[in-house]
Amino acid sequence: MKKFSFIVAAAAALVFASCGNKTQATDESTDTISFEQAQIEEKIMVELDSIADEWGKLKPVEGVMTNGKITLSDEEIKAKPEYLLDIAETQDLSLLSQKYRALGMLVVDMNVAKLYNMDVEAYKAAISKIATDVNDPAVNYKDESTAEDVKAMYVAEKENGRINLFWEQAAAVVVEQLYVISQNTEKFLPAFDDESASNLTYHIALVKLALDDLATYDNNIKGLVEVLAPLNELNAISVDQLKEQLEKMKPQIETARASLLK
């Protein structure tokens, strides 16, 4: 497993820059505690930037569904997956945090739907609707995101005062990816090699580091940290380890996924 202590060390070595007055991101008065990015301590912001930099060096986690390594037979295509998120559940969400999480989940599920030759227009419509609702120019869906796209989104969300929502969406993407793979490990895990398996759990570790830093400032993220706590045991550095851990932790992954939009 990769070591993460260098993130903190690197953050401490940087010259602290002022965070400035960022725009407050609110949730139409439905959050019990509104997030104010300007309240983040400078040393914490530097650490978050370092974590985001590491995140941006990795291939987007949902890329395993789009890298061409997963092929389905005609018979497999006929058996449509029944575990994907019900799009209707994403249409009446009230919190910004829920909407950003839903965006991440829908992108992952749409890529799975494409593998099964399913009509994805409903996914595109749902993503477009939520993107309009959140009114965030940083939310710009692409069929296949690159590491550079992810870096650009982090920078844009930091400028928008929505750094918390970047990490909420990132967490939802990772959890949904884990959930999908755990539902059909025999088909999806062959798309991984040891490096990509290790990268997946590295993504999880980075998300948890960022969320831990933000939990003090955001009540929604504090709850998300609790939701993800059962996934602490995921630390695979090989495909075999990932398979073993996913099978063992399938119930915990299902529970975490079910909690994302609550």
Side-chain angles (χ1 to χ4, degrees):
M1 187 63 180
K2 296 179 175 67
K3 303 298 183 182
F4 310 120
S5 58
F6 71 92
I7 295 174
V8 178
L14 294 173
V15 177
F16 294 157
S18 173
C19 297
N21 271 332
K22 298 298 181 180
T23 303
Q24 180 173 337
T26 63
D27 259 343
E28 294 99 15
S29 301
T30 51
D31 282 321
T32 55
I33 297 178
S34 296
F35 173 77
E36 294 188 47
Q37 186 169 300
Q39 293 182 353
I40 296 179
E41 297 175 71
E42 293 178 6
K43 63 180 180 180
I44 299 299
M45 183 62 78
V46 171
E47 186 171 325
L48 287 167
D49 288 347
S50 297
I51 296 170
D53 185 58
E54 287 302 308
W55 179 274
K57 293 176 183 178
L58 301 172
K59 293 180 181 178
V61 66
E62 69 271 23
V64 70
M65 298 299 173
T66 62
N67 61 13
K69 294 183 179 180
I70 299 173
T71 58
L72 302 177
S73 66
D74 291 341
E75 288 301 312
E76 288 173 326
I77 289 175
K78 290 178 182 178
K80 306 302 183 187
E82 298 181 354
Y83 49 79
L84 300 181
L85 182 66
D86 182 354
I87 295 176
E89 294 181 19
T90 70
Q91 298 306 291
D92 296 312
L93 301 173
S94 59
L95 301 178
L96 277 176
S97 59
Q98 292 173 321
K99 293 174 183 180
Y100 277 78
R101 295 179 195 184
L103 283 170
M105 298 169 76
L106 286 169
V107 168
V108 172
D109 284 8
M110 183 167 67
N111 286 328
V112 176
K114 288 178 180 178
L115 291 174
Y116 286 86
N117 292 342
M118 297 166 62
D119 185 358
V120 297
E121 289 307 310
Y123 286 97
K124 291 181 179 180
I127 291 170
S128 178
K129 177 183 181 300
I130 298 174
T132 300
D133 288 347
V134 301
N135 190 27
D136 183 354
V139 175
N140 182 22
Y141 170 71
K142 296 182 179 181
D143 283 347
E144 188 170 351
S145 296
T146 65
E148 288 70 27
D149 294 327
V150 175
K151 289 180 182 179
M153 183 177 181
Y154 175 82
V155 171
E157 294 296 30
K158 184 178 178 182
E159 293 174 351
N160 293 340
R162 296 187 176 189
I163 194 174
N164 58 326
L165 296 167
F166 171 89
W167 288 111
E168 291 207 48
Q169 186 177 86
V173 168
V174 171
V175 172
E176 187 69 4
Q177 186 80 62
L178 287 171
Y179 172 76
V180 166
I181 296 169
S182 70
Q183 296 301 304
N184 193 351
T185 55
E186 296 302 319
K187 176 51 62 175
F188 294 137
L189 277 183
F192 284 82
D193 55 21
D194 288 346
E195 180 181 11
S196 56
S198 178
N199 282 345
L200 177 57
T201 54
Y202 191 30
H203 270 109
I204 297 166
L206 291 173
V207 163
K208 289 179 69 62
L209 281 172
L211 295 180
D212 285 344
D213 279 345
L214 286 165
T216 301
Y217 307 94
D218 190 307
N219 205 42
N220 286 318
I221 287 184
K222 182 179 180 181
L224 185 56
V225 168
E226 294 173 357
V227 165
L228 299 184
L231 306 186
N232 287 342
E233 296 181 26
L234 278 167
N235 58 3
I237 59 172
S238 69
V239 177
D240 288 343
Q241 288 182 0
L242 182 60
K243 183 176 188 297
E244 180 182 352
Q245 291 176 12
L246 288 178
E247 290 175 349
K248 178 182 178 182
M249 301 186 65
K250 185 177 178 182
Q252 292 95 317
I253 293 170
E254 291 175 346
T255 298
R257 191 257 198 171
S259 300
L260 287 176
L261 300 184
K262 292 183 177 179

